[in-house]
Amino acid sequence: MQSSSASSWKVRGMEEMQPRTPPPLDSSMISRRIEFCHQYSVHEEAEDGAGDGSILVWCGATIDAIFTSASKKNTANIRWDEDILAEGESPVSTQKLLPRLWNKTKHGGWRFAEEELTTTVAEEGED
């Protein structure tokens, strides 16, 4: 995945807007919009004069399928937003969505996309 797309850079207070606990990974998550945190290598000089390093980028995606077998627990097929794909890159990949990485800004972290948050907040208020 390319990391240069301006729309894939998410620098906002999304952490505070998320539910405290991760959603269950079941059929209710299919077609839901999420963001997945990827770590990218950077091969250019940073502002502080440091050389090569890495950055974390929140990338938009939609959940296409949830695997329910014990061997693929917490695993989903993810369809990536077109604006983050490098030329020739597959738009779908299989990713672990670990509960311990819910809403964590680290590689493998995941959370609801901004457009899902109004739906999620409304659903929580119905309980």
Side-chain angles (χ1 to χ4, degrees), residues 36-123:
F36 190 87
C37 192
H38 276 286
Q39 184 171 351
Y40 290 97
S41 295
V42 178
H43 302 290
E44 56 189 48
E45 190 169 313
E47 287 182 24
D48 64 2
D52 291 348
S54 64
I55 59 170
L56 294 170
V57 178
W58 287 99
C59 300
T62 302
I63 296 179
D64 274 356
I66 302 287
F67 296 98
T68 57
S69 68
S71 65
K72 289 196 171 192
K73 187 176 180 181
N74 300 318
T75 305
N77 273 355
I78 304 296
R79 181 168 303 279
W80 301 102
D81 292 352
E82 288 184 24
D83 66 336
I84 63 167
L85 295 172
E87 187 175 328
E89 195 167 28
S90 174
V92 178
S93 68
T94 301
Q95 298 291 326
K96 284 275 196 186
L97 300 178
L98 299 174
R100 68 181 170 79
L101 293 177
W102 170 251
N103 202 23
K104 302 283 190 238
T105 305
K106 56 182 3 178
H107 183 70
W110 60 288
R111 63 189 182 191
F112 283 119
E114 185 174 13
E115 60 268 25
E116 287 286 337
L117 292 174
T118 54
T119 303
T120 303
V121 169
E123 289 172 356

Side-chain angles (χ1 to χ4, degrees), residues 10-41:
K10 309 287 185 183
V11 182
R12 41 193 165 139
M14 291 288 293
E15 293 85 9
E16 296 82 27
M17 299 169 63
Q18 301 292 325
R20 290 188 186 272
T21 59
L25 286 178
D26 58 22
S27 61
S28 70
M29 287 296 291
I30 294 173
S31 298
R32 300 290 297 265
R33 299 271 307 137
I34 65 166
E35 294 180 337
F36 190 87
C37 192
H38 276 286
Q39 184 171 351
Y40 290 97
S41 295

